[in-house]
Amino acid sequence: MTAPRETAPETSSILIVDDMEENLVALQAVLGSLAHVVRARSGEEALKAMLRQEFAVVLIDVLMPGMNGFETAANIKGLDQTRDVPIILLTGAAVDPDYAYRGYTVGVADFLIKPFDPWLLRTKVNVFLDLYRKNRQLIDQTEQLKRLLTAGGGHPGIPSAAPEADRTSTEPPIGTDHTRPAEPAEHPAPPEQPDSLAEAAGRLAQAEILLRDADAPGSADLADRVLGLEQAVGQLMTDRET
């Protein structure tokens, strides 16, 4: 059984994989100001790191001894825990025309040719960092709304029923004629739905729009989950009006 990975929504991490120390130093110097950088010297070391924590993007050198960049990428995409993590492959100047085909076949998101332009590298990595942070924010908002709707137990968003009146007492109400039944006491009105339902519905609608527009792994599935919550809130608002 795989140990759970550490997640930190408020931070982002980048994994760089290269067997050459000087290349790792150069990558960390360029990317260190964008996010936390974790280094790996081989494909095997990279896989272990990815099972320990969550990364926004992975940069892998193609030419490495043992498990090369393509094999490392294929192994990352083959694991349920890591298959949605975007991968950028780093290749040398003499690029094999077959590299692009092999890379995209295993699910690589992009390529960069060494020596790379630091500005271009930062720009490409920043795109994936922004997508990761937005996805984490939307996931957190969805979980908060779900907790809001399920607060109090029972069915989502439906308040607990008021306790029934005690029917065991046989004492007639004071001043009541014994020859006729006492009029039933007026039942207390059920508690109102929280005023935040309309606000929750609006936030869910905004979150769904953002997810539909986001071109990121898993955003469509998350949008469907948000839509389900949005419909549940709408039903609750309709029930309250009736």
Side-chain angles (χ1 to χ4, degrees):
M1 181 176 179
T2 302
R5 295 181 296 163
E6 300 173 2
T7 59
E10 69 279 359
T11 62
S12 305
S13 296
I14 303 169
L15 178 62
I16 54 176
V17 190
D18 200 307
D19 63 303
M20 304 291 290
E21 179 65 22
E22 56 268 30
N23 292 340
L24 293 174
V25 171
L27 287 170
Q28 186 163 12
V30 174
L31 302 175
S33 62
L34 300 179
H36 175 63
V37 176
V38 176
R39 308 195 305 180
R41 295 289 298 269
S42 67
E44 293 83 358
E45 190 176 336
L47 289 173
K48 291 178 181 178
M50 295 196 70
L51 292 174
R52 286 195 300 266
Q53 71 178 92
E54 187 173 293
F55 292 97
V57 61
V58 184
L59 289 82
I60 308 174
D61 183 44
V62 170
L63 299 178
M64 294 188 298
M67 187 187 300
N68 64 30
F70 295 112
E71 294 169 336
T72 303
N75 280 300
I76 291 173
K77 292 298 180 180
L79 295 175
D80 290 339
Q81 302 97 314
T82 59
R83 63 183 178 186
D84 292 330
V85 181
I87 298 173
I88 299 176
L89 282 184
L90 305 176
T91 66
V95 180
D96 189 322
D98 189 46
Y99 276 9
Y101 174 78
R102 291 178 61 189
Y104 291 127
T105 297
V106 299
V108 171
D110 207 345
F111 284 86
L112 271 178
I113 299 176
K114 298 186 291 186
F116 48 78
D117 183 319
W119 180 87
L120 180 60
L121 174 62
R122 287 171 59 90
T123 300
K124 287 180 177 289
V125 170
N126 245 335
V127 171
F128 295 110
L129 288 173
D130 286 343
L131 285 173
Y132 172 82
R133 289 163 182 158
K134 288 177 181 177
N135 280 342
R136 292 302 311 174
Q137 183 180 13
L138 288 171
I139 290 172
D140 291 342
Q141 290 176 351
T142 301
E143 292 301 321
Q144 291 174 6
L145 289 168
K146 187 182 297 183
R147 287 194 294 269
L148 172 66
L149 294 176
T150 57
H155 297 286
I158 300 178
S160 301
E164 293 186 3
D166 184 4
R167 300 179 181 176
T168 59
S169 176
T170 57
E171 287 287 337
I174 297 176
T176 302
D177 187 349
H178 292 267
T179 60
R180 59 179 180 177
E183 294 183 1
E186 184 178 352
H187 291 288
E192 294 184 356
Q193 297 288 354
D195 294 335
S196 58
L197 280 180
E199 180 184 354
R203 291 174 63 185
L204 283 169
Q206 293 177 355
E208 184 194 355
I209 292 173
L210 290 173
L211 283 167
R212 299 293 183 195
D213 293 339
D215 184 16
S219 60
D221 291 339
L222 186 55
D224 291 337
R225 291 170 54 194
V226 172
L227 178 59
L229 289 173
E230 183 182 346
Q231 292 171 344
V233 173
Q235 184 61 49
L236 289 172
M237 295 175 65
T238 301
D239 293 344
R240 180 173 62 177
E241 294 173 356
T242 58

